Amino acid sequence: MEYLDLYDVNKNLTGEKIVRGKGKPQVPENKYINIVIIFMQNSEGKFLFQITSKEKGNEIATTGGHVKSGQTSYEAILAEVEEELGLDISHEDVKMVDSYIFGVAFMDVYYLNKDINISDLKLQDDEVESVEWFTVDKIKELINEGKVRKGNIKAFESILDYLENN
């Protein structure tokens, strides 16, 4: 059984936990969970996106997931990349560039600049169908067509703001 820690509106741990089941977690009112997402960009300026498995809706999304009870946000993003892509980024320059409330969760947005050979990845079958590098313009086009997971849109805008200002 997997547990998720609960946070208050200021992102302080409350000491409470909930069980993570199938579907969206049932989060009590005025409490929040923590989720993480990462955007990996290569030296050509393209971003690595995945086409999720049929079980996960066949959406275009970047790598991410829930922060498990006892995990830090940073530990969670490293674990999600390892689980979904078979990629160890623990020795890379992974930066958290934003954190905001998204529904019943704090969304922590991470960024990594790294050239990754797609053929070296070991995709998690039940989560990821395939991966592909997309240009910023292509991602914007896919967003306009409603093909990108809704939870990724504001996070992607945060990444673009970060890149423009750093």
Side-chain angles (χ1 to χ4, degrees):
M1 198 173 296
E2 191 173 290
Y3 291 91
L4 305 174
D5 289 324
L6 292 176
Y7 299 79
D8 66 18
V9 71
N10 297 311
K11 205 177 180 185
N12 297 309
L13 282 167
T14 66
E16 302 167 87
K17 298 176 187 170
I18 59 170
V19 174
R20 180 175 179 218
K22 295 271 186 207
K24 293 190 186 251
Q26 298 301 307
V27 179
E29 193 172 332
N30 299 317
K31 301 287 190 300
Y32 301 87
I33 58 172
N34 195 187
I35 55 179
V36 292
I37 190 170
I38 189 167
F39 290 88
M40 293 180 273
Q41 185 180 37
N42 67 17
S43 58
E44 296 176 2
K46 294 179 180 178
F47 288 90
L48 186 68
F49 272 75
Q50 55 193 47
I51 291 74
T52 61
S53 65
K54 287 181 180 43
E55 296 84 17
K56 296 289 182 177
N58 260 145
E59 296 175 291
I60 296 171
T62 191
T63 305
H66 292 82
V67 178
K68 297 176 182 109
S69 180
Q71 255 186 341
T72 66
S73 168
Y74 179 75
E75 290 167 340
I77 200 59
L78 297 181
E80 290 295 334
V81 171
E82 178 77 35
E83 288 170 17
E84 293 181 18
L85 304 177
L87 183 64
D88 178 2
I89 60 168
S90 61
H91 301 290
E92 304 292 338
D93 187 17
V94 178
K95 296 177 177 77
M96 185 164 76
V97 300
D98 203 359
S99 183
Y100 54 86
I101 293 175
F102 179 75
V104 297
F106 282 97
M107 171 79 82
D108 291 350
V109 182
Y110 287 88
Y111 173 78
L112 173 64
N113 187 294
K114 181 175 178 62
D115 287 318
I116 298 164
N117 186 340
I118 288 176
S119 63
D120 292 340
L121 299 178
K122 294 172 185 66
L123 306 181
Q124 184 181 17
D125 291 339
D126 62 336
E127 296 249 353
V128 184
E129 185 74 28
S130 63
V131 292
E132 192 172 330
W133 290 105
F134 291 123
T135 64
V136 170
D137 287 342
K138 182 63 176 177
I139 296 165
K140 288 178 179 179
E141 179 184 316
L142 292 166
I143 288 170
N144 288 336
E145 293 171 359
K147 294 180 178 176
V148 174
R149 181 178 284 165
K150 287 184 179 28
N152 285 205
I153 298 170
K154 181 177 178 183
F156 185 64
E157 291 167 359
S158 292
I159 289 296
L160 295 180
D161 286 345
Y162 167 77
L163 292 172
E164 188 175 305
N165 296 308
N166 289 291

